[in-house]
Amino acid sequence: MEIIMFLVFCFLSSCFLIFTTARFRRSSYQAARLPPGPPRLPIIGNIHQVGRNPHRSFAELSKTYGPIMSLKLGCLNSVVIGSPEAAREVLKTHDQILSGRKSTNSIRSINHHEASVAWLPPSSARWRLLRKLSASLLFSPQRIEATKALRMKKVQELVNFVSESSERGEAVGISRISFTTALNIISNVLFSVDIGSYDCKNSNGFQETVIAGMEASGKPDAANFFPCLGFLDLQSNRKTMKASTEKLFRVFREFMDAKTALRNESTDVSNMDFLDSLLALTQGDEPEIDNNDIEHLLLDMFAAGTDTTSTTVEWAMAELLKSPKTMAKAQAEIDSVVGQNGVVEETDISELPYLQAIVKETLRLHPAVPLLLPREAEADVEILGFMVPKDAQVLVNVWAIGRDPNVWENTTRFEPERFLGKEIDVKGKDYELTPFGAGRRICPGLPLAVKIVSLMLASLLYSFDWKLTNGVVSEDLDMDETFGITLHKTKPLHAFPVKKRSTSC
C-alpha cells in the first residue's frame, strides 16, 4: 500500500511539475513579448511618472523604452504608441480589435459611455446608428456645402467685432472670440440660433463650462487607476463633469421643448435643422432614438465642434505672433489671392497652400487631443512584435509623433514650409500626422473643422495686423499647456488688432 501511495504521489507530483513548468514558460513567453517599459513600484506601478502633462511624460519615457511602451497605472494596463509605424498598426491594421473605448471615471459618472458616438464601441448597433445620423445630417459633403453661407456670415461677424475692438484700441482674447464664432456656427447648424456673445458682459459661460468638462474627462484621475476609489471622487472630476454637463443639458432641453411645441402647432418641415431632424426620429411606435440619445449626441457635437476649433486657432495665432516673418508671408499670400475684395471666401482656401501648411504645422505641434481618446484591446493583439494584452488601454501619443526626430526635422520649430509641395494631410492616411485619429474612430467632423479653422484664421490675418499686448515680446510669449482631453494654452492669448482695410461685407 505504501508503495502504491508513493507511486501515486510521484505521478501527481510529476503532473503538477509538468503543468507549472509549461505555464511558467507560457507566461514567461508572453511577458517577454510585452512592450518594454519603466520599472514599476508596488501597488501604484508607474502612476508617479504620469505627471500633469502625460503626453510629455510619455514622450520622454519613450526615448528610453521605445515607441511601443508598456505602463502599469495602478490596476490599469496601458500601452503607449509613439511612432507612425506603430500608430498605423493600431489605427489601421488592427483597428477592429483596438477600436473599443477605455472610458474614464468622469465619463462614466454621466453615463456618457452608453450614449456617445465618441465613447460607444463600434460593435454596438447604437454607435452605428448615431454615427450614421451624424454623418448624414451634419457632416456629409452636401450638408457642409449647404451651410457654407452660414459659416461665412458668422466669420464676418467675428471680423466686425474685432474691427470694433481695433477702433477702440482694445486687445482681444483669441480663444474667446474664436470659441464664440465656432459656438455660433455649431448652434445655428443644430438649433438655428446664436448661443454665443462677443460681449463679455453677456457671456453665458459656455466656454468655461465646455473646458471644465473636457479637463475633468481627460486629466489624470486616481479613480481611472483604482476603480474602487471612484465613489470618493478625490479630485472632484465627477462633480465637475456632472455640473458642466447638466448646465449644457438644460440648454439642450429648452431647445428640445421649444421645438417640440412648435412641431405640435405646425406641420411645416421646410428648413429643418439638426435638432428638428433628430426629434422627428423620436416619434412613432418604434422610435429610433430618445431624448437621452439626443442630449448626449448634442454634447458630443458641442465638445468636439467648439473647444478643439478655438484651441487650434489660438495656437496658430500664438505661433504666428512668435514668428512675425511667417505671419507676414501668410498675409502676403492671402492678399495676393483675395485682393481688395474685403472678404475671404471659403473657396479661396484651396488657393492658399501656405495657410493650409500653417494649419497642418499647428496641428503637428499642438494637436487638439494629444493622446487621442483612449482605446481598449478587445483581444490579445501583436503590434510590431510586441503583445498588447486584452483589456489594455491603448494611447496613441500624436503629440509625440508630431515631434519625432526620426520623422521631422527641427521638431520644435514652427516651420509651415515643411508641408509645401508635399502630400501629407490630416485626413487619417498619413500616420505621422493624425490629429483627428484614423480608421473607424476618425473624427467625423474633420472636414468641417478644417474649413472653420482655415476660414477664421485667413479672415483674421487678411483684415488685421496683430501686435502683442504691452510689455510682451514675441520671443517671450508664454506657450505653456494645460492638459485635459484637449490641450489648452495655459495663459490665454491676447493681442491688439490693427485694421488693414474695410471689414464690412
Side-chain angles (χ1 to χ4, degrees), residues 11 65 88 90 97 156 165 180 192 199 245 250 258 304 360 370 428 487 497:
F11 174 76
Y65 299 101
R88 178 189 293 272
V90 171
I97 296 176
Q156 186 58 46
S165 299
T180 300
S192 304
D199 185 351
T245 53
R250 283 198 298 270
K360 292 176 185 178
L487 197 62

Side-chain angles (χ1 to χ4, degrees), residues 183-203:
L183 175 61
N184 285 340
I185 290 173
I186 296 298
S187 66
N188 272 275
V189 171
L190 300 181
F191 311 130
S192 304
V193 298
D194 285 344
I195 287 183
S197 171
Y198 294 105
D199 185 351
C200 292
K201 296 179 181 178
N202 296 326
S203 173

Side-chain angles (χ1 to χ4, degrees), residues 342-405:
V343 176
V344 177
E345 300 285 347
E346 203 169 82
T347 52
D348 294 328
I349 303 300
S350 62
E351 301 178 48
L352 300 172
Y354 195 64
L355 179 84
Q356 295 176 49
I358 287 172
V359 173
K360 292 176 185 178
E361 181 71 341
T362 301
L363 291 169
R364 179 187 74 85
L365 282 172
H366 309 285
V369 185
L371 295 177
L372 298 185
L373 292 184
R375 292 180 171 231
E376 183 177 46
E378 296 180 354
D380 290 351
V381 60
E382 187 173 307
I383 302 292
L384 299 180
F386 296 109
M387 182 63 69
V388 176
K390 183 178 186 245
D391 297 328
Q393 171 182 259
V394 180
L395 299 171
V396 180
N397 194 346
V398 293
W399 183 91
I401 294 172
R403 296 167 185 248
D404 185 347

Side-chain angles (χ1 to χ4, degrees), residues 120-139:
L120 278 167
S123 57
S124 70
R126 179 63 49 184
W127 181 86
R128 292 192 293 272
L129 173 62
L130 296 176
R131 179 82 175 197
K132 182 183 73 173
L133 291 176
S134 301
S136 61
L137 300 178
L138 274 183
F139 303 126

Side-chain angles (χ1 to χ4, degrees), residues 89-109:
E89 291 289 298
V90 171
L91 303 175
K92 181 181 180 182
T93 307
H94 301 291
D95 181 34
Q96 184 171 355
I97 296 176
L98 297 171
S99 61
R101 280 283 186 243
K102 181 69 76 173
S103 57
T104 64
N105 181 57
S106 55
I107 288 294
R108 293 191 296 274
S109 72

